[in-house]
Amino acid sequence: MSVSPPEIEVLPRDLSAYRAGNTGIDYVHRFESGRPGPHVMVNALTHGNEFCGMVAVCHLLDTGVRPKVGTLTLSFANVAAYETFDPEQPFESRLITHNLNRIWSPAWLDGDEDSVELRRAREMRPAVAAAEHILDIHSTSHDVVPFWVYPAFERNARVARALGRPDVHLVMPAGLGSGTPLIQHGAHGRPDGTGAGLVVECGQHFKQATADVATDVAWNFLAHFGLVDRPVAEPASPPRRFELLRTHVVQDPSFAFVRPLIGFETFAEGELIATDGPLEIRAPCDDCTIFMPARTAIVGREGVYLTKPLP
C-alpha cells in the first residue's frame, strides 16, 4: 500500500515564538473581550503533519485577531510530533506514540500510561474543557474534498449547516469506535452538552489549497459565533451527509484494499472492500461509501471508515 511521497507545497515553520502563550499551557493563547459571549477554541496540529491548521492558527495570531465578544482560545496541540517532520518521510510526524485524537477519555487521561501525547492531552485538558465551542482543524493523507466530522448531535449539525463550507458531513452516531477524539472530551461528547465540537478535514496534508480552506473555515467559525465581523455565505445547496457505520482498525500487516482507494468510492452490500489477514471487510449496505482509507497499513491504526449516505 505504500506509495511515493507527495509534493509538499506547505512546509512547517518555527513555532517557538508561540510557545509561551498566556495561559500557563505551552502553545495555548486565550483572548478575552471583556463582553459576554461564547468561548470558542480553534485548535491546530492534533496530528503533527497536518499543516493546514498550523497555517490557520498562525494567521489568526499574526493578524492580531481579538474577539468582539466572549473569549477566543487558539492552540497548537502536538508540536512535539510536528517538530520531527522529515520531508523524505512526511507522514511519519503524525504522532510519536499515541494518536492524540483518540485519547480524550477518562480511561486514558486518568490512567497510568505515559507518552508525549498523553502528557500533552493532560496539559491541554483544562483549556479544552473550558471551551464552549471547538473547531479542531485536520487534513487527509489522500487528496479528497474537504468535509466535516462530528458527533450526531443537532447542535453540531446546526453549525456545520450554517457555515456551508465544506458541504460534506460525516456524522458519528456512536463516536469513532476507535477511541475518543478531542471534540468529544467531557461535555462535548454528551447528548446533554450545549457546545458545538467539530473537526474540519480540509484536504490533502501538504497542499496550499488545504491551508486556504482551513483559514477560511476558521474565520467563518469565529464569525458564526459573533467573535469577529465577517460575512458567512449562505450554503448554495443542502449538504451531502454520511453516517459512520464502522471504523476498521488494522489487525494484520497484510491488510490490503481490493483496489487503490482514496476515499468516497462506493461499494454494493456484501462487496469485498479489503482483507486483513483472514478477515474480509465487506460493505454492510448498498452505496457503502469509503472515508479515510489508510495510505499505509499499520497494525493498531485505523484502516478505513465505512459509511452510508444519509437523506
Side-chain angles (χ1 to χ4, degrees):
M1 291 176 59
S2 181
V3 296
S4 58
E7 180 180 357
I8 298 175
E9 299 175 0
V10 178
L11 288 167
R13 58 183 282 188
D14 180 7
L15 297 183
S16 59
Y18 306 106
R19 179 169 185 167
N22 61 354
T23 63
I25 307 169
D26 285 354
Y27 299 104
V28 178
H29 301 251
R30 181 173 296 163
F31 307 105
E32 298 183 3
S33 68
R35 298 178 179 178
H39 183 166
V40 177
M41 180 180 206
V42 179
N43 181 64
L45 294 179
T46 298
H47 297 130
N49 67 338
E50 299 185 4
F51 297 156
C52 64
M54 175 274 294
V55 172
V57 171
C58 283
H59 171 77
L60 294 172
L61 289 167
D62 293 346
T63 55
V65 65
R66 296 294 184 270
K68 291 177 50 188
V69 298
T71 300
L72 171 62
T73 293
L74 301 173
S75 54
F76 304 96
N78 201 347
V79 178
Y82 169 83
E83 290 177 339
T84 70
F85 179 74
D86 177 355
E88 296 300 316
Q89 297 180 303
F91 295 93
E92 295 303 308
S93 60
R94 174 179 174 83
L95 56 86
I96 293 176
T97 302
H98 290 110
N99 183 342
L100 184 57
N101 206 32
R102 299 293 182 271
I103 56 175
W104 288 88
S105 65
W108 279 107
L109 296 177
D110 299 329
D112 295 331
E113 288 199 51
D114 183 49
S115 69
V116 168
E117 282 82 13
L118 281 165
R119 288 194 295 273
R120 183 58 175 158
R122 290 161 182 157
E123 289 171 354
M124 289 187 65
R125 175 161 40 174
V128 174
E132 183 179 358
H133 306 293
I134 300 173
L135 174 66
D136 193 18
I137 303 177
H138 289 250
S139 53
T140 52
S141 58
H142 294 292
D143 190 6
V144 294
V145 297
F147 56 95
W148 295 108
V149 186
Y150 54 84
F153 304 136
E154 176 55 28
R155 62 184 187 266
N156 294 329
R158 186 165 53 246
V159 175
R161 287 194 302 265
L163 295 180
R165 185 189 194 193
D167 64 358
V168 175
H169 297 202
L170 177 56
V171 181
M172 305 183 296
L176 280 168
S178 55
T180 303
L182 183 149
I183 61 166
Q184 287 188 264
H185 175 60
H188 284 92
R190 298 198 302 264
D192 63 350
T194 57
L198 296 96
V199 160
V200 60
E201 299 279 0
C202 298
Q204 205 279 336
H205 296 324
F206 311 116
K207 295 185 70 173
Q208 180 61 50
T210 302
D212 295 342
V213 169
T215 303
D216 186 60
V217 170
W219 277 113
N220 286 345
F221 196 79
L222 300 185
H224 174 78
F225 290 108
L227 272 67
V228 299
D229 287 326
R230 188 179 199 253
V232 179
E234 291 288 328
S237 59
R240 296 166 55 204
R241 300 170 66 243
F242 299 84
E243 178 182 314
L244 178 63
L245 300 175
R246 177 187 170 198
T247 301
H248 179 79
V249 175
V250 176
Q251 300 177 22
D252 190 276
S254 68
F255 178 93
F257 294 109
V258 294
R259 62 178 188 269
L261 302 176
I262 65 168
F264 292 92
E265 296 86 356
T266 59
F267 290 79
E269 184 174 4
E271 188 176 356
L272 184 65
I273 297 169
T275 56
D276 191 1
L279 181 65
E280 294 184 339
I281 296 96
R282 294 185 176 272
C285 62
D286 278 333
D287 296 320
C288 178
T289 304
I290 299 306
F291 276 69
M292 307 288 275
R295 186 177 181 276
T296 303
I298 300 175
V299 174
R301 296 193 191 177
E302 294 164 0
V304 65
Y305 296 177
L306 308 181
T307 82
K308 69 175 182 181
L310 290 172

